[in-house]
Amino acid sequence: MRAKGAFCSVNCVFKSAEVFLGNSFSTVDVIVDNGTVSICDIGAGYSSGTPVFDCAGKYIFPGFADVHVHLREPGFFYKESIATGTMAAARGGFTDVCAMPNLDPVPDSIDHLEVQMDIIRRDACINVHPYGAITIDRKGEKLSDMASMARYAVAFSDDGSGVQNDGMMREAMLEAKRLNKIIAAHCEVNELLRGGYIHDGEYARAHGHKGICSESEWRQIARDIELAAETGCKYHVCHISCAESVELIRQAKKSGVDITCETAPHYLVFCDEDMQEDGRFKMNPPLRSRRDMDALIEGIVDGTIDMIATDHAPHSAEEKSRGLRDSAMGVVGIETSFAACYTKLVREGIIPLTKLVELMHTNPSKRFGIGHELYEGAGADFTVFDLEKSYIVNENEFLSKGRATPFIGKTLYGRCLMTVCGGEIVWEEGKK
């Protein structure tokens, strides 16, 4: 769902690009005409008067899909809006994002969800797929009106809060199974938090901070795996951060549980050894140990981890200026996600580029039923990248209202030159 007709419709040729078609790259021309795509041999299939973008040496990917984004509207416009968040996503190469439900009002009924959808229809420049809440007001006490929202909600989540009661999660999974929807769980055992706010590791001990143990994450994942096996629910684990979570999910897949999971770029690039006394290093779950980071990368390589999602979580500058102890949890990342992962995973030879596209487009699209591949006659939803172009991350260039990210000052490779969504150019580098 997105606003219509607010941007420049494109009818042109993207010439001599390296285009991801299905599961590999081909050097072809991509023609966009009346919102649909044609794939042609170079120089064939268009008239001499057609406008041309020379894409020699550039890459065209199907629009990336992020299943974990906080757009903050309605309720927290000062942090982010549908307009600013989706423009930031377009700048990062995304044409589809799933918007988390920690909003005001919480989308726990069709009436509350409609408040959000009205803003999406008015302001979104890309496709936004809203989550419905699992429980009323995300308090974990009473099941939301999932049935009334099922037609419009991409999945159900209480993200930001783990559902503490086993019976409540079982009830939610049974209803999701009946409705053929996904439960996407933020896994966190509240009684194990003990006032922590960064990882319970060497940095916390050396600098006098209260730590969050890894068990607070993996114990609830273990519970949910048992419930998913019992109920047959489609189950997705949000933002995994530790080695134990990877192994639990690996074994659950082997046993036939209908389970997928995501991790975020910051967990693949940073660990608690990289921490600084700055709120831009504070998120939930926290940056964990090098062992955990290595286990996540192993999970990426062997397919245990299905997708990369940003958990883009903007806050105001004041909320992120209070240091590690008192800053709000959450960092932004949708404008740097592909470049961060390309720089770390592909340029260092950990995975091929095709695998990264699977993690950022193919797998999330298939699991959540959003986005689509590039093929003859498909809708024009794609992004153009220069993979040789490097840049230093400067938060003042962000289109998001949020500025806090651990990637500030990092040199990344892979610049988004253009994003097309619904046959319209919604982002083009160098143009406002």
Side-chain angles (χ1 to χ4, degrees), residues 10 32 43 80 120 123 141 201 225 228 242 266 350 375 380 395 415:
V10 56
V32 179
E80 189 76 286
I120 293 169
D123 293 342
E141 297 171 357
I225 287 171
C242 63
H266 42 270
I350 297 169
Y375 55 88
E395 72 276 24
R415 193 77 165 186

Side-chain angles (χ1 to χ4, degrees), residues 32 45 95 135 154 161 183 220 241 362 424:
V32 179
T95 57
T135 64
V154 68
S161 305
I183 291 289
Q220 195 161 95
S241 68
T362 310
E424 297 179 328

Side-chain angles (χ1 to χ4, degrees), residues 18 52 114 208 213 220 230 298 301 337 377 383 388 405 419 427:
E18 299 296 321
V52 173
E114 276 286 357
C213 66
Q220 195 161 95
E230 173 192 334
E298 182 182 353
V301 172
S337 178
T383 185
E388 295 303 312
T405 169
T419 299
W427 161 258

